[in-house]
Amino acid sequence: LAPHQFNNKSYWVENDQSQLKQNLKRMLYETTWRKIDFECAESVEQSETKWLILSDRNGLGKKLSQSLNDKNIKNQTFYNNELETIKQVLKIIKTKELKVVCLWSLDIDKNINYIINQIIGLIKTIAKDKTINLKTWFVTKQSQNVTEEDKIASVSQAMIWGLGRVVSLEHSRLWGGLIDLPELIKEENYTQVISIIRSMHPEDHLA
């Protein structure tokens, strides 16, 4: 068109701002956390159930193991994240039901690629054993903001939540869930982790 066709006239689409906001609201989503009481949750754990704790290097795994011992829950803490050794451990453990608690993500800031590859290798390793009723839980720290005051201190650990969602879809038989811990971990937090994993509650994303 000739330039004069645009003189003193508006030929641009004028968006309705209210309609635009509604469209954006439909396209985007926001995570909403709700409080769940696990203290009264029913445990469906069998007497022969064992726990395998893949510990971090900061001592959280050791404290979790102590809490399990206080409750007379059979557990074995594993401080080495070499997959070949884990294969041997899985052969040695004789149980019909095994709960795996992976704390490797707590060390992810030191070597992201290594930890991610080890976690992927772990899933591939345990997926091959179909004789055990096995559930895997991944624990992170300060990777989720439950309230507006919470700050995400480890973006690298937040990656584990994305990886975990993939595992829940591709290996649902092995899936337990994701648990994010606060900055200051108290003794009650270990008890909460144990109650969560032992309960029959369907929620698998907790912080």
Side-chain angles (χ1 to χ4, degrees):
L1 297 174
H4 68 270
Q5 296 292 333
F6 295 94
N7 290 342
N8 302 320
K9 291 183 180 181
S10 175
Y11 285 87
W12 310 110
V13 177
E14 293 183 354
N15 289 320
D16 184 349
Q17 292 299 317
S18 60
Q19 184 64 38
L20 180 60
K21 289 180 180 179
Q22 291 179 6
N23 292 337
L24 287 173
K25 193 173 183 179
R26 284 197 297 266
M27 289 188 289
L28 304 176
Y29 71 90
E30 181 179 357
T31 302
T32 301
W33 296 93
R34 58 188 177 88
K35 188 175 182 179
I36 299 176
D37 184 12
F38 278 93
E39 294 182 0
C40 301
E42 181 181 349
S43 172
V44 292
E45 192 171 84
Q46 299 179 12
S47 58
E48 65 267 24
T49 299
K50 290 184 179 180
W51 290 49
L52 177 62
I53 302 174
L54 304 179
S55 183
D56 60 315
R57 299 184 185 277
N58 297 316
L60 194 150
K62 184 177 181 179
K63 292 180 180 179
L64 180 60
S65 177
Q66 291 173 350
S67 296
L68 288 168
N69 290 332
D70 292 341
K71 297 179 181 296
N72 296 319
I73 300 175
K74 299 176 182 178
N75 69 93
Q76 182 171 349
T77 305
F78 190 60
Y79 295 96
N80 190 337
N81 56 11
E82 294 298 328
L83 293 178
E84 288 301 322
T85 313
I86 292 178
K87 292 178 182 179
Q88 298 300 322
V89 172
L90 290 175
K91 290 180 180 179
I92 295 173
I93 294 179
K94 295 181 179 180
T95 180
K96 294 181 180 180
E97 185 170 330
L98 180 66
K99 296 186 184 298
V100 179
V101 184
C102 183
L103 305 173
W104 292 348
S105 57
L106 301 179
D107 300 324
I108 197 172
D109 292 323
K110 300 174 183 177
N111 195 331
I112 297 178
N113 292 334
Y114 176 75
I115 296 298
I116 291 292
N117 288 331
Q118 291 300 93
I119 291 177
I120 293 175
L122 169 68
I123 296 300
K124 290 181 179 180
T125 299
I126 61 181
K128 295 178 181 179
D129 192 339
K130 294 180 172 57
T131 61
I132 302 176
N133 180 16
L134 189 152
K135 297 297 180 183
T136 307
W137 288 79
F138 295 95
V139 179
T140 59
K141 181 181 177 182
Q142 282 188 285
S143 69
Q144 306 296 311
N145 54 341
V146 179
T147 65
E148 295 181 356
E149 291 75 21
D150 292 338
K151 295 181 180 180
I152 296 180
S154 178
V155 178
S156 300
Q157 290 188 47
M159 295 167 57
I160 301 300
W161 282 62
L163 177 61
R165 292 186 181 102
V166 175
V167 175
S168 68
L169 294 174
E170 296 188 359
H171 298 282
S172 56
R173 182 180 67 86
L174 311 174
W175 182 242
L178 292 156
I179 301 175
D180 191 62
L181 297 175
E183 178 183 7
L184 299 176
I185 302 176
K186 302 177 182 178
E187 190 64 35
E188 62 184 31
N189 295 130
Y190 298 107
T191 301
Q192 290 172 346
V193 169
I194 295 172
S195 298
I196 288 169
I197 296 177
R198 296 185 74 188
S199 74
M200 60 183 299
H201 198 282
E203 184 58 63
D204 58 355
H205 290 65
L206 301 115

